[in-house]
C-alpha cells in the first residue's frame, strides 16, 4: 500500500505537469496557431526526441508488455529488432517527403498526392483509431494505482484525464513537449528501478535465466504457422509494419518532426527516438520474465492475489519494493507519466487533424482568424470527455496486448499501405488509393472483429505458457478443463495471429491500390516529384496530357496554407 512518501512523490510529478501547462497557457498568452500546434517550428532535437519517446511509450507499454511476456514468453523481444529496422526506413524513404509539409497534419499529404476524399477518409479512420486507443491508455495506469491504493479504477482514470485535458488545452504544443521531457524521467526511473530490484529479488541474472528456461519463457518460436500467437515471423513482420506507421505516419510523431527546423534535425530525432524505444521495450519485456522467475512456483493470478494478468506488474513492484520508501510512488508516477504524455500528445494531434482536415477547409478566413484558438481547445476538451466515458468499458476487453495490437494494428497497416502507395509508387492514383483503403478496412476489419469475438469467448487457442501454484502457502484447488467438449476451431482466417492484422491491411491497400490504378484512368496524370520518396523517383514517368512544360512546385506552395493563418492568427 501507498505510504506518505509514495503519495508525495506521485503528487509532485502530477503537479509539475500542471505547472508547465499553466506556464504556457497563462504566461504565454500570445501563442499563434502555429505555436499552439507546432511550437513555431523552432524546437530543439533533444526535447523533441525525448518527447517522442514519452508519447510512444504509453502506460500500455510499461504494463501490458511485462504481463504479456509473463504469460506467453519472451517472443516479444523481436519487437526491438523491428524498431531497429524501422529507423533507417524512416530517415531515407519517408521523412524527406514528410518534412516538406507545411501543414500541422500528415493527412494534408494525401490531398496533394490523391484528392480531398482520400484525405478525409484517412483522417476519419485515424480519429476513430485514437478514440479506441486513448481509453486503454488512460485505463492502464489506473490498474496499478488501484492495485496499490484500493481506489476504484474509474475514479483514477477520470481524474487523470481531467488533469491531462486541462494542461493540454491551455498550454498547447510546447506544454505537451516539456511535460513529456519531465515525464520521461519518471518513466525511465520506474522501468529501471523495477527491473533492477526484480533481478536482485530473484537472485541475479543466472537465476532468472534458469527459472525462465525451465518455465519455457525462452522457447522462441520460428515456425511459419500464421495461427501461432507469437513468434519470430509474427512479431517481426507485424511489429515492423506497426512501427513504420508509429515512426513515420503517426500524426503525433509527424507533428513533432515538423516542429524542428530542418530534415537533418528530424533524422536525429528519429535516431534518438528509436534508441529510447528499444531500451524501454527491452527492459519491459525482460521484466515480465523476471516476474515469472519470482513467482515460478506460486502464480499470483491463480492464487487470487490479482484479478487479471495486467495487474501482475504493479503487484510485483509493490512486492519487491515494500521496504524502500518512495519507490512504489516512483513506479506509479512513471506509469502515470507514460499515460499523460501519450494522452496529451494524441489530444493535441487530434486537434491538429480535426481542425486542419475537417473544419478549416469549410470555414471562411475571417471566421478562422477569430475562432481558431477556441476551436482547437474545444476539440481537446471533447476528445478528452469521450476518452473518460469510453474508459469505463475497457476492463471488458480481455488482454490489453492482444486488443491493442489487433485493433490498432489494422489502422496502422492501412496507413502504411496508403502512404507507401503515394510515396513509393508514382503510378498509383486517387481511385486506387480510395479502393485500397476501403478494401483493407472492410476485409481486415471484419477478420479482427470476428477474431476478437472468438477470443473473448475462449474458442481460439490460448497459447499461454505453464503457470504453477505448487509452492503457494495456501493450497489452491484448480479444476482442469476437460478436452472432451472443446469447441470446433474457427476458420483459419479468424485464428491468425493478431500481429498479422497490420501486415494484411498494408498489403491489401497496396495491391488493390496498384491494381485499380493500373486498370482505371488517372484524373491527375502529372505527379509532383516532391511527393515521391527520393529513392523511388526513378519510377516516376510524367504524363502531361497537354505536352506542356510544367514548373516544379513544392508541397509548401501547393497546399492552401492560408487556411491555417500561421503568421497572423492569435489563439
Amino acid at each position: 500500500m501507498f505510504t506518505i512518501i509514495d503519495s508525495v512523490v506521485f503528487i509532485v510529478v502530477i503537479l509539475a505537469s500542471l505547472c508547465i501547462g499553466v506556464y504556457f497557457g497563462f504566461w504565454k498568452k500570445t501563442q499563434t496557431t502555429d505555436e499552439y500546434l507546432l511550437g513555431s517550428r523552432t524546437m530543439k532535437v533533444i526535447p523533441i526526441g525525448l518527447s517522442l519517446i514519452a508519447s510512444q511509450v504509453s502506460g500500455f507499454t510499461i504494463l501490458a508488455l511485462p504481463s504479456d511476456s509473463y504469460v506467453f514468453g519472451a517472443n516479444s523481444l523481436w519487437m526491438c529488432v523491428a524498431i531497429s529496422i524501422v529507423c533507417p526506413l524512416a530517415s531515407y524513404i519517408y521523412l524527406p517527403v514528410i518534412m516538406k509539409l507545411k501543414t500541422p497534419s500528415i493527412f494534408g499529404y494525401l490531398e496533394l498526392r490523391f484528392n480531398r476524399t482520400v484525405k478525409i477518409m484517412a483522417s476519419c479512420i485515424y480519429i476513430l483509431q485514437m478514440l479506441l486507443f486513448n481509453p486503454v491508455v488512460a485505463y492502464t495506469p489506473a490498474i496499478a494505482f488501484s492495485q496499490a491504493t484500493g481506489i476504484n479504477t474509474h475514479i483514477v482514470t477520470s481524474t487523470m484525464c481531467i488533469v491531462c485535458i486541462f494542461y493540454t488545452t491551455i498550454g498547447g504544443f510546447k506544454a505537451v513537449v516539456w511535460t513529456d521531457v519531465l515525464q520521461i524521467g519518471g518513466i525511465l526511473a520506474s522501468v529501471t528501478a523495477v527491473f533492477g530490484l526484480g533481478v536482485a529479488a530473484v537472485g541475479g541474472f543466472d537465476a532468472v535465466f534458469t527459472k525462465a528456461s525451465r518455465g519455457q519463457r525462452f522457447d522462441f518460436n520460428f515456425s511459419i504457422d500464421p495461427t501461432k500467437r507469437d513468434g519470430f515471423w509474427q512479431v517481426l513482420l507485424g511489429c515492423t509494419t506497426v512501427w513504420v506507421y508509429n515512426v513515420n505516419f503517426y500524426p503525433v510523431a509527424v507533428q513533432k518532426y515538423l516542429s524542428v527546423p530542418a530534415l537533418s534535425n528530424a533524422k536525429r530525432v528519429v535516431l534518438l527516438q528509436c534508441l529510447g524505444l528499444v531500451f524501454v521495450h527491452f527492459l519491459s519485456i525482460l521484466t515480465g520474465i523476471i516476474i515469472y522467475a519470482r513467482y515460478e512456483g506460486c502464480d499470483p493470478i491463480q492464487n487470487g492475489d490479482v484479478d487479471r494478468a495486467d495487474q501482475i506488474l504493479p503487484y510485483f513492484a509493490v512486492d519487491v519494493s515494500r521496504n524502500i520508501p518512495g519507490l512504489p510512488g516512483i513506479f506509479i508516477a512513471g506509469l502515470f507519466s507514460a499515460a499523460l504524455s501519450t494522452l496529451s500528445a494524441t489530444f493535441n494531434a487530434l486537434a491538429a487533424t480535426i481542425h486542419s482536415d475537417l473544419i478549416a477547409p469549410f470555414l471562411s478566413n475571417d471566421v478562422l482568424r477569430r475562432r481558431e484558438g477556441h476551436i482547437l481547445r474545444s476539440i481537446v476538451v471533447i476528445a478528452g470527455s469521450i476518452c473518460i466515458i469510453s474508459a469505463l468499458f475497457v476492463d471488458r476487453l480481455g488482454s490489453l496486448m492482444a486488443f491493442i495490437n489487433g485493433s490498432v494494428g489494422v489502422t496502422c497497416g492501412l496507413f502504411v499501405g496508403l502512404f507507401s502507395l503515394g510515396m513509393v509508387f508514382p503510378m498509383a492514383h486517387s481511385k486506387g488509393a480510395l479502393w485500397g483503403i476501403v478494401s483493407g478496412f472492410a476485409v481486415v476489419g471484419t477478420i479482427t472483429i470476428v477474431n476478437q469475438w472468438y477470443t473473448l469467448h475462449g474458442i481460439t487457442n490460448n497459447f499461454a505458457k505453464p503457470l504453477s501454484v505448487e509452492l503457494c502457502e495456501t493450497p489452491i484447488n484448480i479444476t482442469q478443463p476437460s478436452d472432451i467438449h472443446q469447441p470446433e476451431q474457427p476458420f483459419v482466417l479468424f485464428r491468425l495471429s493478431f500481429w498479422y492484422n497490420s501486415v494484411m491491411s498494408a498489403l491489401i491497400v497496396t495491391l488493390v491500390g496498384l491494381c485499380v490504378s493500373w486498370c482505371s484512368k488517372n484524373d491527375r496524370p502529372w505527379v509532383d516529384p516532391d511527393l515521391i520518396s527520393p529513392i523511388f523517383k526513378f519510377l516516376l514517368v510524367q504524363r502531361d496530357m497537354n505536352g506542356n512544360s510544367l514548373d516544379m512546385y513544392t508541397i509548401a506552395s501547393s497546399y492552401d496554407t492560408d487556411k491555417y493563418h500561421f503568421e497572423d492568427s492569435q489563439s
Side-chain angles (χ1 to χ4, degrees):
M1 299 298 288
F2 254 27
T3 65
I4 294 177
I5 297 177
D6 297 325
S7 302
V8 169
V9 170
F10 174 74
I11 291 171
V12 165
V13 172
I14 301 302
L15 287 179
S17 298
L18 279 173
C19 289
I20 292 174
V22 168
Y23 170 77
F24 284 103
F26 291 113
W27 276 274
K28 304 283 283 185
K29 289 183 180 179
T30 58
Q31 290 188 87
T32 64
T33 305
D34 188 32
E35 188 173 6
Y36 189 84
L37 294 178
L38 295 175
S40 300
R41 303 176 187 270
T42 58
M43 302 297 291
K44 303 298 182 182
V45 169
I46 292 179
I48 291 297
L50 294 176
S51 174
L52 266 174
I53 296 169
S55 58
Q56 297 273 27
V57 177
S58 63
F60 158 76
T61 305
I62 298 176
L63 203 62
L65 276 181
S67 66
D68 191 78
S69 59
Y70 172 81
V71 176
F72 299 102
N75 276 290
S76 296
L77 281 171
W78 302 119
M79 294 174 69
C80 299
V81 178
I83 296 171
S84 302
I85 292 172
V86 167
C87 185
L89 291 178
S91 297
Y92 295 101
I93 296 180
Y94 302 111
L95 206 57
V97 179
I98 292 170
M99 286 302 294
K100 295 174 185 174
L101 284 169
K102 299 301 179 185
T103 70
S105 170
I106 179 64
F107 302 112
Y109 169 86
L110 297 176
E111 183 171 2
L112 295 173
R113 181 64 178 85
F114 300 119
N115 59 30
R116 179 168 290 183
T117 302
V118 174
K119 180 192 76 170
I120 291 177
M121 179 175 291
S123 299
C124 291
I125 291 174
Y126 166 71
I127 293 166
L128 177 62
Q129 175 197 18
M130 287 297 98
L131 293 180
L132 289 173
F133 178 66
N134 282 344
V136 179
V137 172
Y139 179 75
T140 45
I143 296 174
F145 195 85
S146 177
Q147 182 75 23
T149 64
I151 299 175
N152 185 276
T153 54
H154 300 313
I155 296 175
V156 178
T157 302
S158 300
T159 303
M160 183 183 65
C161 286
I162 291 169
V163 170
C164 186
I165 292 167
F166 177 75
Y167 76 74
T168 305
T169 301
I170 66 171
F173 182 81
K174 288 187 176 180
V176 170
V177 169
W178 288 108
T179 51
D180 286 349
V181 171
L182 166 73
Q183 289 159 358
I184 191 64
I187 294 170
L188 294 178
S190 172
V191 171
T192 306
V194 172
F195 178 83
L197 283 173
V199 172
V202 174
F205 288 105
D206 288 342
V208 171
F209 183 81
T210 300
K211 293 182 178 182
S213 299
R214 193 161 56 218
Q216 304 176 24
R217 264 50 186 183
F218 286 130
D219 287 359
F220 293 108
N221 169 34
F222 293 92
S223 169
I224 61 173
D225 183 355
T227 63
K228 298 291 185 182
R229 183 187 188 273
D230 296 310
F232 174 78
W233 295 109
Q234 290 90 332
V235 176
L236 186 67
L237 294 175
C239 200
T240 298
T241 307
V242 168
W243 280 100
V244 166
Y245 165 74
N246 285 342
V247 172
N248 295 282
F249 312 125
Y250 185 30
V252 170
V254 171
Q255 193 179 8
K256 290 177 180 177
Y257 299 148
L258 294 176
S259 71
V260 298
L263 175 60
S264 58
N265 301 106
K267 288 182 177 180
R268 289 194 286 271
V269 169
V270 169
L271 178 60
L272 178 59
Q273 175 190 191
C274 288
L275 290 174
L277 290 172
V278 168
F279 176 77
V280 173
H281 282 74
F282 183 78
L283 284 191
S284 295
I285 294 165
L286 285 187
T287 297
I289 302 302
I290 293 168
I291 296 173
Y292 171 77
R294 170 75 170 179
Y295 304 119
E296 180 191 21
C298 186
D299 171 37
I301 303 172
Q302 298 182 70
N303 193 35
D305 294 322
V306 298
D307 297 326
R308 48 188 291 167
D310 297 311
Q311 296 174 326
I312 194 72
L313 179 63
Y315 175 82
F316 172 76
V318 172
D319 181 24
V320 298
S321 63
R322 63 177 70 252
N323 296 322
I324 306 177
L327 195 58
I330 293 175
F331 170 72
I332 301 297
L335 279 176
F336 270 78
S337 295
L340 285 170
S341 61
T342 302
L343 285 174
S344 62
T346 54
F347 288 158
N348 194 265
L350 276 172
T353 301
I354 295 172
H355 169 265
S356 303
D357 299 340
L358 304 182
I359 296 177
F362 304 101
L363 296 179
S364 67
N365 293 344
D366 181 61
V367 171
L368 282 176
R369 284 192 179 93
R370 290 185 290 107
R371 299 296 181 186
E372 243 173 350
H374 298 296
I375 292 171
L376 289 167
R377 289 175 171 84
S378 297
I379 294 170
V380 173
V381 173
I382 293 170
S385 301
I386 294 173
C387 178
I388 293 173
I389 296 170
S390 302
L392 300 176
F393 306 97
V394 172
D395 54 356
R396 304 179 186 181
L397 295 177
S399 169
L400 296 182
M401 181 77 169
F403 172 77
I404 288 296
N405 285 287
S407 58
V408 175
V410 177
T411 53
C412 291
L414 290 177
F415 291 132
V416 169
L418 185 60
F419 283 101
S420 296
L421 203 63
M423 296 183 189
V424 175
F425 301 101
M427 68 289 294
H429 57 75
S430 59
K431 293 186 182 70
L434 187 62
W435 280 104
I437 196 168
V438 169
S439 302
F441 190 76
V443 174
V444 186
T446 301
I447 292 173
T448 302
I449 292 172
V450 176
N451 181 288
Q452 185 69 16
W453 187 88
Y454 281 131
T455 300
L456 290 176
H457 287 79
I459 297 175
T460 55
N461 289 330
N462 185 270
F463 295 108
K465 302 293 185 182
L467 295 166
S468 173
V469 291
E470 291 181 359
L471 301 181
C472 292
E473 294 181 2
T474 305
I476 308 296
N477 185 17
I478 300 175
T479 303
Q480 295 295 330
S482 173
D483 293 329
I484 299 176
H485 300 291
Q486 286 294 320
E488 183 179 351
Q489 289 294 294
F491 181 61
V492 65
L493 276 179
F494 306 125
R495 289 186 285 118
L496 294 177
S497 169
F498 58 80
W499 292 107
Y500 283 124
N501 289 350
S502 59
V503 181
M504 287 189 296
S505 54
L507 287 175
I508 290 174
V509 172
T510 304
L511 295 177
V512 171
L514 289 174
C515 289
V516 173
S517 296
W518 182 269
C519 299
S520 60
K521 184 179 178 180
N522 188 359
D523 55 356
R524 189 183 292 183
W526 191 85
V527 179
D528 179 3
D530 284 338
L531 297 169
I532 306 299
S533 173
I535 296 178
F536 294 96
K537 281 187 179 179
F538 72 92
L539 297 173
L540 181 61
V541 178
Q542 296 294 6
R543 302 181 184 278
D544 183 356
M545 293 186 301
N546 299 321
N548 297 324
S549 176
L550 297 175
D551 293 332
M552 292 296 215
Y553 60 92
T554 64
I555 295 178
S557 61
S558 61
Y559 202 81
D560 184 11
T561 52
D562 255 1
K563 281 291 184 184
Y564 300 99
H565 307 292
F566 281 157
E567 291 73 30
D568 305 322
S569 173
Q570 302 291 321
S571 64

